[in-house]
Each structure stands twice: as structure tokens, then as C-alpha cells.
Amino acid sequence: MSLATDTTDQPTLYKRIRADIEKRILTGEWPPGHRIPFEHELVARYGCSRMTVNKALSELAQADLIERRRRAGSFVRRPQHQSAVLKIADMRAEITALGRAYGYELIGRKVRAATAADRDRLGVKKAGKVVAITCRHSADNVPFAVEDRLIDLASVPDAATADFSREPPGSWLLHHVPWTEAEHTISAIVADDRTAEALDIAVGAPCLVIDRYTWRSARTITAVRLLYPGDSHRLVARFKGG
Amino acid sequence: MSLATDTTDQPTLYKRIRADIEKRILTGEWPPGHRIPFEHELVARYGCSRMTVNKALSELAQADLIERRRRAGSFVRRPQHQSAVLKIADMRAEITALGRAYGYELIGRKVRAATAADRDRLGVKKAGKVVAITCRHSADNVPFAVEDRLIDLASVPDAATADFSREPPGSWLLHHVPWTEAEHTISAIVADDRTAEALDIAVGAPCLVIDRYTWRSARTITAVRLLYPGDSHRLVARFKGG
DNA sequence: TTGACTTATATGTCTAGACATATAATCGTG
DNA sequence: CACGATTATATGTCTAGACATATAAGTCAA
């Protein structure tokens, strides 16, 4: 006998249970520290099997909204107020999503033996060959970002012969390297002469910097630095509220 | 008869299945587009019930590593190379995590009727009272960030009487507002006179800006702008690789 | 009071089924 | 050949059990 199934069962049962609990947490009805009803109580309330409420609670635990402790129960977690999910979209997707025309231009490309600076930047010890690429992304023919990239040819030999004059190296890598992990570092600088010219901004104007370091199973793939005009571009990160 | 359970079963079965598949994806053995064995095949391979492999695959789907399509099967997804999880930690936690001494200093605090600019910043229509707070966070007595915050008193009446001279408003809110959602915007500016003085940097030096807008169930709580010296501070975002 | 031992219990995982549902593939028909 | 109807099938959800395990709480002795 399911009593609390008032809402039309458009979503599935476990999703409704999850949404139900989530709502109570987000509205503050169940504040941090509050004990969620035990699984057997929810089973009784929703008139379903334990596996169903378990699935709902497990997902809430995975989303860090609740904490589950054996023998003790499930508790609303304190919000990690200041953590966020930042989505740095693919450059083309990012620009077209703004309803603007994407443009790409290769500025420089060079294959060379890795210098000490290159090795340091890629985080590799052994000497080897690398490709250094400089290019520019634009939106409606206005410079949007300049990209300065290093690809380790020991990890991605094909990059030596790839044609980056039409396809951005980021897109090319996305299609040629199966799966990667990455670390981003965000900082700010002021534009030097070269940057100012490339982005068509004033020398001394603020720039947002994203350094991305990418690897696959402990093997370095690429290191890239993206420079955005700081006053026009914005990264938006939305806290995952479920 | 479980054949492929070679590894010692320290973790649980579904976790081993998940890790197994994840490894093949991350190493590139199963590239994007590759079809994962059907559930019934995995059931046979691991000698377990369907619910167990289903749990493993569901979690991989939730992590966006695979895509599941009815009748067709489960497929390795193309890596969303450039999306990332950015963790903006609590200021105190962030600084102490760096092994540095956290310092806090209230610069200004004022309760006032919301001006048009305040309402715009908070995204509210009706006039009401707000608290405006300016403060500074430091690491080892060196300025780390300046904070400029607006709290909507209609949502958080207690903030009118809270003592922000010792406790940073961020921490106070964390303990007094049950659960919130937030949106972050990251940009770069150059320091003006006031900022330069507060952060003890040169006028014209780059600054990283984080604007955070926080609400709870469609109700505005606070809007805050954090300014970091751009060359010394870095936000690190790690791609979730599972 | 303190520490070691025991017990009760909530969660964690797993099973062997079931029916629902979306859709790829096939089959027929015009 | 093109297009609509049918069918087969993989996933999605759910059940009613089971045993494992961590641990809060209670018990008892030093």
C-alpha cells in the first residue's frame, strides 16, 4: 500500500524518493546533521522494497548530499558551500553555444627536440620530440582566446604529421587519444606585447589564464595554456545542487 | 563459477567490475565508441547476477564514462576532454591546507536599505535591507584575498546582528544557512588603487576575480566578489577521471 | 571510572527472478 | 525501393528475500 505516492508517477519510484529527500534538504526542512529516516522506515512510507530506497539513498550519498554510516543511519551533510563544478567546454562548442561564429587560425607549428623548459612543462624526464603549436580561436571574427600547446610525440606520434592548419589541436586530440585525465590551473596575468597583439587588446589589459595538463594512465599527452581577454570572457561554474 | 575474479576480492564484486571496465577505458583498450559487453555477457564472465553488473555499469554511466542505450548496448563515450571539477574550498581550509597561517580582518560592515545596484547584484526586485561587508583573508600575514559581500536580510535576518569581526561571513553563513546552491563566475581584472592597497600589490597588477551568487530554493542569500592576486594565487581543477 | 567484551542493528552487497520500455532489426506491403 | 508495422532484445526498474560487516550501545569485570 503506497501512501505517499501523491505525485503522478512520471519518473520512476526511486527517482521520486530521491527527489523528495533532496527537496527537503535543499529547502532546509532537513538541515545539516538531520537524520534521514531509516531505510526500513522509508520502505514503509513508500511501500516499496529496500533495494529501491537503497538506490535512492546511494545516489544522494554519491552526490555528497547525505552521509551514510553503518548502524547509525543516514545524515544530511554540511554543504560544501564553496565547491563548484566548472565546465570548460570545447572551444568550438563554447563559442557556438554563445550564438557566435567560430573561427580558427594556426599561428605557428614546430616539431623539435624537447628543451629543458618543454620537459618541465610536460612533466617528463626523458628527452624526446614534441610539437609546439600556437593558434587563435575567434568568435564573430573577434579574438576569443590564444592557445599555446605542447604535445609529447612519445605519447602521440601521429601528432607529428597531423594537419593543424584547419583543425584545432584540441579537437584533433579529442578524436585521436582515447581517454584522458587532466588538471586545470586558473590564474590571471596582464597582457604583454605579443599577447596584446594576438588578442587585439591593450598591453597591460587583464587576461584570464587556463593551464591544462593532460595525461593518460600516467603518461603525459599535452600541456596547453589558454589566454582569454579577462574583461570580456567569463567562466561560469554552477554548484551542483542535484 | 567465477573465472575472471583473479584479483583478490578486497573490494566488493561490483566495484571490481567497475574498476575493471574503467581501466580498459582509461588505458584505451576500449576506445570511444567501443561497445561494452552486454550485461548478460558480463554476468557470465563474472559469474554473478545481473543486478550486480547493472550497478557497476550504472555508476560508470553516471560518471559519463559510458553511454547506455536500450536495445543497442553500452558504449564508451568520447571524453569531454575539457570539462573539469573545480573545487573552491572554504577560505580557511584552503589556506591551512597550504600549511599557512590563516588570518582574517573585517574592513567594513554596513546595514542599509538596498540600493538599485544592490538589488541588481542580488538579483532581487523588491527593496529591502542588506548587509554589506568588506574583509580580507591572509596567509602568513600576507594578503590572500579581499572579499566584498552583500547579504540579503530578507533571507537571512540573523545576519544583521551577527558579529563578523572575528568570524568570516562565509563561515558564518555556512553554519546558519542549511543548504544552498551557487553560481560562480571567474574573470580577470587589473588592480585599481583601492584593490592594490588592500592586497598589497601594485596598481595595474593582474587579479583573479570570483563572483559567487548563492541562493536557496529560488531565494537569494548572498552575492560575493573575491579578489586574488593573479600571479600568486591559482585555482586548481582536476578532471574527474573516476 | 575505565576498559574489554558482547549484542543489536542499519547499512552494504548480492541473488534469482519479474515486468516495463525504448528501439534496432526485420518483415510486408504499396 | 521506400515506408509502416511487427518483433526481438538490451537496458531500466523493481521485488522479496539473504548474508556480511561495521559500529553504537549496552554489559560486565577490574
Side-chain angles (χ1 to χ4, degrees), chain A residues 2 4-5 7 9-20 42-43 45-49 52-53 55-56:
Chain A
S2 55
T5 56
T7 57
D9 47 10
Q10 277 170 350
T12 57
L13 180 51
Y14 92 88
K15 281 181 182 165
R16 262 184 298 142
I17 297 173
R18 172 159 63 73
D20 232 49
L42 292 171
V43 161
R45 179 183 311 196
Y46 291 97
C48 63
S49 85
T52 303
V53 306
K55 185 165 185 175

Side-chain angles (χ1 to χ4, degrees), chain B residues 15 23 39-40 51 56 69 71 87 90 100 109-110 120 135 145 147 154 161 190 210-211 222 239 241-242:
Chain B
K15 281 181 182 164
K23 201 183 79 183
E39 288 191 353
H40 70 262
M51 277 301 282
R69 291 209 306 274
R71 166 71 209 244
K87 263 204 134 150
D90 172 71
R100 303 213 265 160
R109 176 191 166 283
K110 193 157 59 173
D120 189 52
C135 58
E147 175 174 337
T161 53
V190 292
I210 299 179
D211 285 297
T222 185
F239 179 76

Side-chain angles (χ1 to χ4, degrees), chain A residues 25-32 51 54-55 58-59 62-66 76-91 149 170-171 173-175 177-190 204-209 211-212 214-217 222 225-226 230-231 233-242, chain B residues 25-32 51 54-55 58-59 62-66 76-91 149 170-171 173-175 177-190 204-209 211-212 214-217 222 225-226 230-231 233-242:
Chain A
I25 294 173
L26 255 37
T27 58
E29 183 183 337
W30 288 350
M51 278 300 281
N54 183 284
K55 185 165 185 175
S58 295
E59 291 195 2
Q62 244 185 307
D64 273 342
L65 250 75
I66 67 171
V76 178
R77 286 193 53 152
R78 181 173 307 292
Q80 281 100 45
H81 195 175
Q82 318 199 359
S83 91
V85 175
L86 174 66
K87 264 207 130 151
I88 305 170
D90 171 72
M91 200 68 74
R149 185 187 291 270
S171 304
L173 282 166
L174 210 58
H175 289 82
V177 180
W179 201 281
T180 59
E181 293 176 81
E183 189 172 277
H184 297 80
T185 302
I186 300 164
S187 56
I189 62 163
V190 292
C207 290
L208 199 59
V209 186
D211 285 297
R212 175 164 46 235
T214 308
W215 68 93
R216 193 183 84 199
S217 45
T222 184
R225 164 166 279 208
L226 295 164
D231 51 350
H233 187 72
R234 291 165 173 271
L235 290 169
V236 175
R238 182 80 175 260
F239 179 76
K240 97 182 135 97
Chain B
I25 293 173
L26 255 36
T27 57
E29 182 184 338
W30 288 348
M51 277 301 282
N54 184 284
K55 185 166 185 173
S58 295
E59 290 195 4
Q62 243 185 307
D64 273 342
L65 250 76
I66 67 170
V76 178
R77 285 193 53 152
R78 181 174 308 291
Q80 279 99 46
H81 197 174
Q82 319 199 7
S83 91
V85 174
L86 172 66
K87 263 204 134 150
I88 304 170
D90 172 71
M91 200 68 74
R149 185 187 291 268
S171 304
L173 282 167
L174 208 59
H175 289 83
V177 181
W179 200 282
T180 59
E181 294 176 81
E183 190 173 277
H184 298 79
T185 301
I186 301 165
S187 56
I189 61 163
V190 292
C207 290
L208 198 60
V209 187
D211 285 297
R212 176 163 47 235
T214 308
W215 68 92
R216 192 184 84 202
S217 46
T222 185
R225 164 166 278 208
L226 295 164
D231 52 350
H233 187 73
R234 284 158 181 275
L235 290 169
V236 176
R238 182 79 175 261
F239 179 76
K240 99 181 134 94

Side-chain angles (χ1 to χ4, degrees), chain A residues 139-219:
Chain A
D140 284 342
N141 289 317
V142 176
F144 189 80
V146 286
E147 174 175 338
D148 179 23
R149 185 187 291 270
L150 227 52
I151 303 175
D152 188 351
L153 284 179
S155 301
V156 195
D158 287 353
T161 53
D163 177 19
F164 294 125
S165 66
R166 298 191 144 263
E167 192 180 15
S171 304
W172 186 89
L173 282 166
L174 210 58
H175 289 82
H176 286 76
V177 180
W179 201 281
T180 59
E181 293 176 81
E183 189 172 277
H184 297 80
T185 302
I186 300 164
S187 56
I189 62 163
V190 292
D192 57 17
D193 295 15
R194 214 174 55 117
T195 306
E197 198 195 321
L199 285 176
D200 194 21
I201 56 176
V203 174
C207 290
L208 199 59
V209 186
I210 299 179
D211 285 297
R212 175 164 46 235
Y213 170 70
T214 308
W215 68 93
R216 193 183 84 199
S217 45
R219 193 167 184 164

Side-chain angles (χ1 to χ4, degrees), chain B residues 107-125:
Chain B
I107 296 172
R109 176 191 166 283
K110 193 157 59 173
V111 178
R112 63 170 180 243
T115 65
D118 291 346
R119 291 201 298 275
D120 189 52
R121 204 171 149 202
L122 286 170
V124 294
K125 282 164 192 165

